[in-house]
Amino acid sequence: MIKVGGIFAAVGIAAMLASLVSPALADPDNNQLIIEGELIVTDVAAPDSSPLDHIYSGWRFRSPETQSLQMDDFENPGFVAVDAAAETWETADGSEGKSCASCHEDVSSLAGLRAELPKWDEATNKPATMENLINRCRTDRMGAEAWGWEQKEMVNMTALISLQSRGMPVNIQTDGPMAEWMEKGKDLYYTRVGQLNMSCSNCHEDNYGNQIRSDHLSQGQINGFPVYRLKWAGLGSIHRRFKGCMENIRATPFKRGSDEFIALEAYVASRGAGLAVETPSVRN
């Protein structure tokens, strides 16, 4: 059950939404995302199960200045974190004296992983995120302490590993044991919460392409996470963004790494099936 921070009268909610959301000022542009000579897919036909006709990467809703930062790895501010993680990858840590490279050798061996996460994990009987997998390696194989969800080393490492899948289409399992989690995530996506009585779908399905306050609403796709947000002046995880959205509508957010946010991550990832992994992306 989602915790609610309070309710407004229906009339008050309608008035507030009318004041926050303006008519469409900019639909997704037709620019192409090309990085290091590779065309990154930023729009695809929506799958049959989608409520949308077409799906677009958040990159297509950004200003030309922000878009250009992501088109050049040298200019992309997220690569400072990637470079730091590359050093961590080779550094031994924990009681076993192992580094990430001790088992996985080159990080490129993990190409494709980001595109299929979260995925079912038999060991825990629930979906695993990138953060879950990293911490399992640290505690079970390296004898090292687990990293915090938003700890710098964790976010940096998720960016480095995710980069290996850049250009690959998002393709996560939605059936079998994942089906129940997809339904849970879908329920969370469409449930109105908080003082503003809003759901994820109110912004990212009903109003994408519109302005809300000073922000240009996208479809809320997560194929670029972890993302470098200019607002944050650094990288942040998917769950950090979920938490921020819930706080914006004055709802009590779930914890990063909670079952609720993992289910929501899985469902939102499935909504972007076919879009290419963009990590590290750059957003406002």
Side-chain angles (χ1 to χ4, degrees), residues 8-258:
F8 282 359
V11 174
I13 292 297
M16 179 164 289
L17 283 174
S19 68
L20 291 177
V21 180
S22 64
L25 298 179
D27 290 328
D29 60 35
N30 293 317
N31 294 341
Q32 291 187 325
L33 176 56
I34 300 174
I35 307 175
E36 300 293 317
E38 179 183 8
L39 176 64
I40 307 296
V41 175
T42 57
D43 72 277
V44 293
D48 293 339
S49 59
S50 175
L52 304 170
D53 295 327
H54 211 84
I55 54 178
Y56 300 93
S57 161
W59 183 84
R60 295 280 292 275
F61 295 85
R62 303 280 63 90
S63 69
E65 294 78 12
T66 303
Q67 287 181 339
S68 67
L69 290 174
Q70 192 177 324
M71 297 177 74
D72 185 338
D73 287 349
F74 185 77
E75 297 291 335
N76 186 333
F79 270 82
V80 174
V82 169
D83 290 342
E87 292 187 17
T88 303
W89 180 269
E90 302 286 346
T91 302
D93 191 12
S95 60
E96 300 302 308
K98 292 182 178 181
S99 67
C100 303
S102 299
C103 292
H104 300 286
E105 297 183 354
D106 195 280
V107 67
S108 63
S109 66
L110 298 180
L113 178 61
R114 172 66 177 84
E116 58 185 24
L117 291 175
K119 66 177 182 178
W120 188 251
D121 180 21
E122 293 288 349
T124 58
N125 200 38
K126 60 190 289 186
T129 66
M130 179 79 76
E131 291 86 352
N132 295 145
L133 296 177
I134 288 172
N135 268 342
R136 182 184 302 171
C137 281
R138 287 187 57 76
T139 58
D140 295 357
R141 296 170 186 163
M142 298 170 65
E145 292 185 3
W147 284 330
W149 202 273
E150 216 65 43
Q151 189 172 328
K152 180 176 64 175
E153 291 83 358
M154 173 66 85
V155 180
N156 292 356
M157 188 59 70
T158 60
L160 173 66
I161 296 173
S162 297
L163 174 63
Q164 311 313 307
S165 301
R166 190 169 68 182
M168 296 181 179
V170 172
N171 182 29
I172 76 166
Q173 181 185 359
T174 58
D175 58 3
M178 289 292 291
E180 180 181 353
W181 287 77
M182 289 294 167
E183 284 302 314
K184 182 176 182 178
K186 182 177 181 180
D187 182 61
L188 291 167
Y189 191 87
Y190 285 100
T191 299
R192 292 175 178 267
V193 297
Q195 288 183 327
L196 300 192
N197 194 33
M198 293 176 67
S199 68
C200 306
S201 64
N202 291 142
C203 285
H204 300 299
E205 187 172 312
D206 301 337
N207 282 292
Y208 73 85
N210 293 340
Q211 292 286 130
I212 184 166
R213 292 176 178 159
S214 61
D215 195 17
H216 188 199
L217 289 171
S218 71
Q219 290 181 343
Q221 305 293 353
I222 59 174
N223 55 303
F225 278 82
V227 59
Y228 187 100
R229 287 193 76 199
L230 302 179
K231 178 180 178 180
W232 295 338
L235 282 178
S237 71
I238 297 166
H239 292 196
R240 178 178 180 180
R241 192 69 189 99
F242 289 165
K243 180 176 181 289
C245 282
M246 293 191 74
E247 290 173 339
N248 287 342
I249 60 174
R250 301 187 184 125
T252 302
F254 302 110
K255 293 182 178 179
R256 298 177 180 94
S258 64

